[in-house]
Amino acid sequence: MNQESFIRIRAELIAGKKTLPDIVSAYISRIESVNKDINAVTQLHGKEALEQAERIQKKLESGTAGPLAGLVIGIKEVLCQKGYPATCGSRMLADYEAVYDATVIERLTEQDAVIIGRLNMDEFAMGSSNENSYHGAVKNPHNLSKVPGGSSGGSAAAVASGMCMASLGTDTGGSIRQPAAYSGVVGLKPSYGLVSRYGLIAYASSFDSIGPLTHNVDDAALILKTIAGHDERDATSSSLPVPDYPELLKNLEPGIRVGIPEEYFENGLDTEIRENTLRIAAELEKNGAELIPITLPHMKYAIATYYILATAEASSNLARFDGIRYGHRADIKKVRVDLKNEENELKEQLRNQPGGEEQIKEEMARMDSPMIRLYKQSRTEGFGMEVKRRILLGTYVLSAGYYDAYYGKAQRIRRLITDDFKNAFSKVDVILSPTTPTTAFDLGSQVNDPLQMYLNDIYTISANLSGICSINVPVGKHSADQMPYGLQIMADAFHEQKLFNAAKLVENVVNGD
Ligand code: GLN
């Protein structure tokens, strides 16, 4: 598989050893040959990518190209790109074309990245296997009978199989890091607020973040530098200055304090993943790091807390997809005919019973108006099972009688989890753990068991609950199934430079540098 790093390719472009149109053509051919098996790319923008490549090649030759000239990147379909469908992997938005560019797209193209196409995902970013997509499941390039992880499964598989140099994904509970781990690539979830969410179709607004998936840590640092930074169109966007991450990476600081959280190495974790993670930690220690055992006592509540708060936010965010303002609209004529038929059936049944006329009146008053039925039918047809499950759950936890018991309580636990991290980061620079408890599972093996599926995110979710930053670094393949897995590093909010520093140290250990 093509594992070319952007930074190397860029050097070759600048030295005139390669040309960008040739590179883009090679990626297009690669997509044309392997995507039919992997199903990661939902829209290939070959012609446009080649046009961009010609234009940027001229800039490279005249020395006026931006810092991302040479980067060939794919974009998760949840991010708006003007003039192209933003389907979110859903029938609901199958015909929706974005009318503006997300800030991240604007920033990538301003810096001369070439966007090669759009990438498959779990519907509305809900899932851990990329099996919940209107475009069909994505397959893991390392073994086509396995899932690539989700919800950014297309973003991970496209990079892993060499269909692009890098991609953008989104992470609300682990959707960049978990598929990155299952597919053997680097995946970064930036701190909440560091990257503008303008143009990201929301799933759970207080958790959503956008980040890169790449072949190595340097590429992730460079892309983050481009897409990060204040944006007045996102009210939660931070105004902190963005450090020059790639520059800082040139001087690695090995003497870091690394927290080893007890709760991340307990039951359910594969033995080989545990041992290899601890072995890498020991290598870091040999190179000058200090390992410090820590505890994150509220971690056990993370999954339950997330599935209350994220579904509550989703139920509100997804209310706009009603077939009138946005999204798939059911056939209004059929809706009217169905209603008429139901009305006639009702009359037929009740007419000859004692008090029938009265009952008919009552039942008729209870029946949907054509407008309400149109909303219901449109949403019934437009959304898949998992999305419906979450809207129902979210609506339930927000309902008047249960609000305090579920939503209110989950908010308080979110605070406790955030405090656990605050406490930990007063003693350590970064926290190291596995990214997932196992390697990628078989396609179809967990789709009917939502609880089992939710457990895939056990190590990733708490970073989203607390807004800190976190990265997956691939560390090798498991001896049992030859599938990749990764190690997760977490750092306090807006300390991405610490994250990259530690990630690069791990990468060096893994590569034997
Ligand atoms: N897998 C988690 C979920 O299903 C996380 C999704 C995400 O990060 N978008 O919600």
Side-chain angles (χ1 to χ4, degrees):
M1 280 186 248
N2 182 358
Q3 301 291 325
E4 296 267 43
S5 96
F6 164 59
I7 288 175
R8 229 206 51 234
I9 289 196
R10 183 173 163 84
E12 289 179 349
L13 279 169
I14 290 181
K17 289 190 192 149
K18 282 189 174 158
T19 72
L20 191 51
D22 284 351
I23 291 173
V24 169
S25 299
Y27 278 104
I28 294 173
S29 310
R30 177 83 185 151
I31 293 173
E32 284 166 346
S33 72
V34 303
N35 190 53
K36 50 186 179 309
D37 293 328
I38 296 172
N39 197 28
V41 178
T42 52
Q43 303 165 49
L44 166 61
H45 301 160
K47 188 168 154 281
E48 300 89 322
L50 275 171
E51 279 165 16
Q52 286 177 46
E54 302 280 356
R55 193 175 47 79
I56 297 164
Q57 177 64 31
K58 291 205 183 81
K59 287 187 167 187
L60 279 161
E61 284 160 16
S62 62
T64 55
L68 293 188
L71 180 69
V72 180
I73 192 164
I75 306 291
K76 185 177 181 179
E77 276 205 334
V78 70
L79 293 160
C80 289
Q81 187 181 350
K82 193 175 174 182
Y84 295 105
T87 74
C88 286
S90 181
R91 180 178 184 202
M92 182 54 96
L93 289 180
D95 298 321
Y96 174 69
E97 200 169 273
V99 290
Y100 63 96
D101 275 340
T103 299
V104 287
I105 303 273
E106 228 173 63
R107 292 188 179 174
L108 287 175
T109 44
E110 269 165 18
Q111 305 291 324
D112 288 335
V114 169
I115 296 175
I116 194 143
R118 299 180 57 76
L119 304 173
N120 206 344
M121 56 183 281
D122 277 308
E123 186 176 8
F124 286 103
M126 298 175 188
S128 304
S129 66
N130 219 135
E131 293 167 293
N132 304 331
S133 169
Y134 168 66
H135 306 288
V138 178
K139 318 278 167 55
N140 192 311
H142 296 271
N143 178 341
L144 297 178
S145 68
K146 305 271 185 187
V147 302
S151 64
S152 312
S155 302
V159 175
S161 60
M163 292 197 270
C164 47
M165 276 175 221
S167 61
L168 286 189
T170 59
D171 193 312
T172 305
S175 276
I176 289 175
R177 292 160 288 157
Q178 185 257 19
Y182 283 177
S183 305
V185 297
V186 169
L188 167 74
K189 180 209 105 62
S191 307
Y192 182 78
L194 181 64
V195 176
S196 166
R197 290 180 294 114
Y198 179 75
L200 159 64
I201 299 175
Y203 157 22
S205 311
S206 76
F207 299 81
D208 294 340
S209 41
I210 305 168
L213 293 96
T214 57
H215 286 301
N216 57 45
V217 175
D218 286 303
D219 286 1
L222 187 56
I223 296 173
L224 182 66
K225 183 187 157 194
T226 307
I227 60 174
H230 184 66
D231 178 13
E232 62 185 18
R233 294 171 297 186
D234 171 1
T236 60
S237 157
S238 148
S239 13
L240 289 173
V242 178
D244 190 340
Y245 307 115
E247 195 52 39
L248 290 167
L249 268 182
K250 289 184 182 152
N251 295 311
L252 283 185
E253 166 54 70
I256 50 173
R257 296 167 302 163
V258 179
I260 307 289
E262 160 189 336
E263 294 80 3
Y264 282 66
F265 290 86
E266 286 172 350
N267 295 347
L269 172 60
D270 174 273
T271 316
E272 187 169 320
I273 299 183
R274 175 194 285 118
E275 281 169 7
N276 199 25
T277 309
L278 293 172
R279 183 189 63 78
I280 292 170
E283 288 290 326
L284 294 178
E285 192 179 28
K286 268 194 223 151
N287 297 339
E290 186 187 351
L291 302 187
I292 303 174
I294 57 164
T295 153
L296 300 163
H298 297 94
M299 160 76 189
K300 53 181 175 290
Y301 306 117
I303 290 202
T305 307
Y306 168 83
Y307 277 97
I308 289 172
L309 297 177
T311 58
E313 293 186 25
S315 72
S316 155
N317 275 328
L318 270 57
R320 74 191 66 166
F321 304 114
D322 57 10
I324 304 294
R325 287 172 299 172
Y326 293 101
H328 169 81
R329 184 178 301 172
D331 180 349
I332 179 72
K333 283 201 198 107
K334 186 165 179 307
V335 162
R336 284 188 198 281
V337 171
D338 286 351
L339 273 174
K340 201 74 214 158
N341 288 343
E342 281 171 38
E343 201 181 301
N344 290 342
E345 245 170 64
L346 193 77
K347 286 183 182 158
E348 198 61 38
Q349 270 174 16
L350 298 176
R351 185 170 294 136
N352 299 325
Q353 294 184 11
E357 287 306 318
E358 270 313 295
Q359 268 195 45
I360 291 173
K361 260 193 220 146
E362 276 173 31
E363 293 293 332
M364 294 277 290
R366 262 201 287 270
M367 262 174 87
D368 289 337
S369 68
M371 184 69 176
I372 294 292
R373 182 59 66 88
L374 182 65
Y375 284 140
K376 283 187 183 170
Q377 193 59 25
S378 300
R379 286 166 70 81
T380 301
E381 293 171 3
F383 291 135
M385 266 303 290
E386 183 60 26
V387 173
K388 284 179 187 152
R389 179 169 17 244
R390 295 194 189 195
I391 293 173
L392 287 172
L393 190 60
T395 307
Y396 179 78
V397 300
L398 287 176
S399 58
Y402 296 101
Y403 184 91
D404 280 337
Y406 293 108
Y407 188 77
K409 198 166 183 181
Q411 288 282 41
R412 289 193 289 279
I413 299 173
R414 184 178 195 176
R415 162 62 56 197
L416 294 175
I417 291 172
T418 309
D419 288 346
D420 279 357
F421 279 111
K422 266 209 189 95
N423 203 355
F425 288 124
S426 68
K427 302 183 201 99
V428 300
D429 298 307
V430 294
I431 296 174
L432 190 141
S433 77
T435 307
T436 56
T438 61
T439 54
F441 45 93
D442 288 338
L443 280 156
S445 64
Q446 294 186 11
V447 264
N448 296 321
D449 188 348
L451 211 57
Q452 188 58 39
M453 188 71 91
Y454 297 169
L455 285 170
N456 285 289
D457 299 309
I458 187 141
Y459 301 141
T460 50
I461 270 179
S462 46
N464 302 77
L465 284 161
S466 55
I468 63 173
C469 55
S470 172
I471 192 168
N472 172 71
V473 184
V475 294
K477 289 190 172 175
H478 199 287
S479 66
D481 56 8
Q482 297 309 312
M483 293 303 287
Y485 61 96
L487 179 154
Q488 172 175 245
I489 303 163
M490 295 181 272
D492 205 357
F494 304 107
H495 283 82
E496 270 76 5
Q497 64 274 41
K498 286 189 181 174
L499 196 72
F500 285 131
N501 182 73
K504 185 90 196 223
L505 292 171
V506 168
E507 196 175 59
N508 288 347
V509 167
V510 173
N511 295 340
D513 294 345

